[in-house]
């Protein structure tokens, strides 16, 4: 499938998704969000894909936010609709049954920072910059920023970043735990692929269930969370991958690879 603003490439078991509106610094308009929605559906249904990398086109930006030229004339109903569209797509990505790595190559502002936070983890180039500048535009973050930033970096730092609209460099994002690693720009995609391939080399159903357990568990009390883990742990014993891996271990041989069954 060909899209105007989003590229989907496959490399072995990886899907590489690139938001591709470099002239607008990859800003997210409705059209791009709808395309991203379709790309996520495609990835979900592609059994070959075991891990996903999300990045932005060009050298300057990951994504410079939701599209301000589209938002400027919206009324209340349209504003809600635009927010709901972004949230629907981001939540679909967050709950996709495959791990997603954001490779943040430049500005990740507003909706861009929010999209990176809907991914499982973030790698940043030394040129990356993060921020939630919405209050400078008379709005709140609208694609989950008030919720996910606080969950990732804690409430105090999230409130400081959101109230001040400060834009921080990659090293600071690393220091506060917003990104997992900072690398040179020319190494970013390779590092992301290395990480994605490492994840993809493990039992895919187990990885997927880990994602589900962590995501669902973070929203509930500890007793319910532990029950979620017990549930997914039990489910693993229905897979061939669990049997194959444990038999191979006991027989002291190397497993050739997982079947994803
Ligand atoms: N929406 C629409 N267009 C955008 C954009 C955005 N978020 N960000 C950049 N662009 C466009 C610019 O209008 C410009 O277009 P033209 O060439 O047609 O004039 C082009 O991208 C290049 O941008 P600049 O000339 O501004 O580049 P710069 O290097 O001088 O500045 C920047 C870079 C600091 C990132 C600056 O572009 C900027 O501040 N962008 C807006 C960042 C922002 O406020 N993002 C949050 C949006 S609100 C949001 O995301 C709400 C939400 O939570 C859902």
């Amino acid at each position: 499938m060909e899209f105007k603003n989003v590229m989907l490439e496959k490399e072995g078991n990886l899907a590489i998704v690139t938001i591709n509106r470099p002239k607008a610094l990859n800003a997210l308009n409705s059209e791009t969000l709808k395309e991203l929605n379709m790309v996520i559906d495609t990835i979900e249904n592609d059994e070959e894909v075991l891990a996903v990398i999300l990045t932005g086109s060009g050298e300057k930006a990951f994504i410079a936010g939701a599209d301000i030229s589209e938002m400027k004339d919206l009324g209340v109903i349209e504003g809600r609709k635009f927010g709901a569209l972004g949230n629907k797509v981001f939540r679909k990505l967050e709950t996709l049954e495959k791990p997603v790595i954001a490779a943040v190559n430049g500005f990740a502002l507003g909706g861009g920072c929010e999209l990176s936070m809907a991914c499982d983890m973030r790698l940043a180039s030394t040129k990356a910059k993060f921020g939630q500048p919405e209050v400078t535009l008379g709005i709140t973050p609208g694609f989950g920023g008030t919720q996910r930033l606080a969950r990732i970096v804690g409430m105090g730092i999230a409130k400081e970043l959101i109230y001040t609209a400060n834009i921080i460099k990659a090293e600071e994002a690393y220091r506060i735990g917003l990104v997992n690693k900072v690398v040179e720009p020319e190494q970013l995609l390779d590092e992301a692929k290395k990480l994605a391939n490492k994840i993809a080399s493990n039992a895919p159903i187990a990885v997927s269930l880990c994602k589900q357990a962590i995501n669902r568990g973070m929203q509930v009390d500890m007793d319910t969370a532990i029950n979620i883990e017990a549930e997914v742990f039990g489910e693993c014993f229905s897979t061939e991958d669990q049997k194959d891996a444990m038999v191979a271990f006991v027989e002291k041989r190397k497993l050739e690879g997982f079947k994803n069954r």
Side-chain angles (χ1 to χ4, degrees):
M1 233 182 304
E2 285 279 318
F3 296 103
K4 193 168 148 205
N5 306 314
V6 183
M7 287 190 310
L8 170 60
E9 295 159 287
K10 272 176 67 177
E11 223 180 276
N13 291 117
L14 308 186
I16 302 164
V17 179
T18 308
I19 306 296
N20 188 28
R21 284 187 81 205
K23 281 194 183 132
L25 303 187
N26 304 320
L28 298 171
N29 58 5
S30 305
E31 186 178 50
T32 307
L33 289 167
K34 286 175 188 162
E35 289 184 0
L36 181 59
N37 193 43
M38 286 189 269
V39 165
I40 299 168
D41 285 340
T42 307
I43 291 172
E44 187 171 28
N45 294 319
D46 187 339
E47 283 186 9
E48 269 173 20
V49 176
L50 301 181
V52 184
I53 294 170
L54 177 67
T55 193
S57 162
E59 299 199 337
K60 207 162 155 186
F62 173 67
I63 294 160
D67 193 304
I68 299 169
S69 45
E70 180 175 339
M71 283 187 295
K72 81 177 169 19
D73 296 321
L74 300 184
V76 179
I77 304 285
E78 295 117 323
R80 282 209 185 112
K81 223 169 134 186
F82 187 64
L85 172 64
N87 275 313
K88 181 182 93 171
V89 180
F90 285 21
R91 188 76 180 129
K92 184 184 273 192
L93 186 71
E94 188 171 45
T95 56
L96 179 71
E97 292 181 354
K98 306 177 192 221
V100 185
I101 298 166
V104 182
N105 49 312
F107 287 111
L109 303 179
C113 185
E114 290 169 309
L115 184 55
S116 81
M117 293 191 291
C119 299
D120 293 293
M121 53 198 88
R122 286 147 293 284
L123 290 190
S125 96
T126 49
K127 285 192 179 156
K129 291 202 169 99
F130 294 82
Q132 296 288 158
E134 285 85 351
V135 294
T136 67
L137 295 162
I139 55 171
T140 67
F143 295 163
T146 56
Q147 306 310 310
R148 291 194 182 94
L149 188 58
R151 281 163 171 80
I152 294 170
V153 303
M155 208 192 279
I157 305 277
K159 285 180 172 171
E160 182 184 339
L161 283 172
I162 291 171
Y163 300 173
T164 60
N166 282 345
I167 291 172
I168 58 170
K169 292 184 175 165
E171 279 304 331
E172 176 67 356
Y174 177 70
R175 194 187 67 78
I176 63 174
L178 181 56
V179 304
N180 295 51
K181 194 174 178 180
V182 182
V183 299
E184 291 303 322
E186 54 280 7
Q187 285 163 9
L188 180 66
L189 216 51
D190 281 346
E191 279 286 330
K193 286 179 192 172
K194 219 161 85 184
L195 179 59
N197 276 318
K198 178 86 209 292
I199 295 169
S201 72
N202 293 321
I205 298 170
V207 169
S208 176
L209 290 172
C210 289
K211 172 169 179 170
Q212 200 194 110
I214 295 170
N215 281 358
R216 286 171 59 199
M218 290 299 284
Q219 297 185 64
V220 295
D221 64 277
M222 184 57 98
D223 288 323
T224 314
I226 289 296
N227 282 336
I228 291 170
E229 189 185 86
E231 182 194 307
V232 298
F233 180 69
E235 205 173 319
C236 294
F237 293 84
S238 71
T239 65
E240 286 183 41
D241 286 344
Q242 173 269 327
K243 295 284 176 291
D244 291 350
M246 291 195 181
V247 169
F249 177 83
V250 170
E251 291 177 355
K252 300 194 188 306
R253 60 180 167 78
K254 201 174 174 312
L255 187 69
E256 284 310 315
F258 290 103
K259 292 182 187 138
N260 198 15
R261 286 206 289 266

